Amino acid sequence: MLANDTVMMLLEGTRDTLYMTVVSTLFAYLFAFPIGIALVITKKDGLHPIGFIYRFLDIVVNVGRSVPFLILLIAVIPLTKFIAGKSYGPTATIVPLVIAATPFIARLIESSLQEVDQGVIEAAQSMGASLLTIVFKVLIPEAKNSLIVGATIAIATILGYSAMAGILGGGGLGDIAIRYGYYRYQTEIMLMTLVLLIILVQLLQMIGMKIAQKTDKRTV
């Protein structure tokens, strides 16, 4: 049986993990959406091909996705201190989480938008729709279901990253698992953090897939 203070610590860790995950996901989408759309538009057979912009963004996204999160976490400590005023704790951890998640999410968005039927786009073009109209009234609405599924994958991945940040005092359940499970050999606390992380991922996955099913026109 866990003591009350241990239960409180786990609840606070769960709260901090959700805080880091949700805020990081929102900020990452804010940066990733324009990048994902630009990748689709400027590619060779896109709506407005611009080779050098596509190649630049493609390289930036590939490089960003190639850096392991733990190395990124250490590498951006000066930037984290500059933005958050410190390099540890849940709020500070949001900085590396956003940097790590943005290229990953941009690629998910690009992939979802590319799934849109070319015939629908050509129909909009034949009616004289502008580039912005096609993007916001054709591409994004048509890809809505895939975008939601992508967001579900992204938020579960970011939650996993937030747990990894615990090794540098990032706060949340990962931090508790490292401090109590690894440094103090309190196996029961480490197992509880593991169970809580699994439950959180399953809940987020279930909510995301339910929303995706509700918005899927094929199931109506």
Side-chain angles (χ1 to χ4, degrees):
M1 193 74 178
L2 295 173
N4 285 340
D5 55 346
T6 303
V7 173
M8 284 304 298
M9 179 182 67
L10 290 170
L11 288 175
E12 287 172 5
T14 304
R15 178 201 62 195
D16 290 344
T17 296
L18 284 173
Y19 162 66
M20 287 187 284
T21 303
V22 172
V23 175
S24 302
T25 303
L26 290 175
F27 274 107
Y29 262 90
L30 192 66
F31 295 118
F33 233 106
I35 297 172
I37 291 171
L39 281 167
V40 174
I41 291 175
T42 59
K43 67 178 183 177
K44 190 177 179 182
D45 56 347
L47 293 166
H48 191 69
I50 306 177
F52 74 93
I53 291 181
Y54 176 80
R55 284 192 292 276
F56 172 74
L57 292 175
D58 190 50
I59 290 170
V60 168
V61 168
N62 283 341
V63 170
R65 292 185 61 203
S66 302
V67 181
F69 180 66
L70 280 178
I71 295 174
L72 177 75
L73 190 67
I74 297 166
V76 300
I77 282 177
L79 179 64
T80 303
K81 281 184 178 175
F82 176 73
I83 295 174
K86 57 184 180 181
S87 63
Y88 58 89
T91 300
T93 304
I94 289 171
V95 177
L97 283 176
V98 172
I99 295 171
T102 297
F104 171 63
I105 293 174
R107 200 58 93 189
L108 286 176
I109 292 169
E110 180 195 12
S111 175
S112 295
L113 296 180
Q114 283 179 332
E115 291 175 9
V116 176
D117 187 348
Q118 193 61 30
V120 180
I121 298 170
E122 288 172 0
Q125 286 175 315
S126 68
M127 288 188 286
S130 67
L131 181 62
L132 286 178
T133 301
I134 293 174
V135 169
F136 291 103
K137 294 192 174 178
V138 178
L139 272 180
I140 294 175
E142 286 294 320
K144 184 171 61 179
N145 187 256
S146 179
L147 288 170
I148 293 170
V149 173
T152 305
I153 296 168
I155 200 166
T157 303
I158 294 170
L159 191 144
Y161 285 168
S162 77
M164 275 190 259
I167 200 160
L168 289 184
L173 292 170
D175 191 22
I176 293 171
I178 295 291
R179 282 190 288 126
Y180 290 85
Y182 183 67
Y183 292 122
R184 302 184 188 181
Y185 303 107
Q186 290 182 261
T187 310
E188 72 280 4
I189 294 181
M190 189 180 69
L191 289 176
M192 280 305 300
T193 59
L194 184 62
V195 169
L196 287 169
L197 285 168
I198 291 171
I199 291 172
L200 286 179
V201 170
Q202 294 305 311
L203 278 176
L204 293 171
Q205 182 85 21
M206 188 180 69
I207 293 168
M209 295 314 293
K210 283 282 182 190
I211 295 172
Q213 285 172 4
K214 290 274 185 190
T215 58
D216 190 354
K217 290 185 289 188
R218 293 167 300 183
T219 62
V220 175

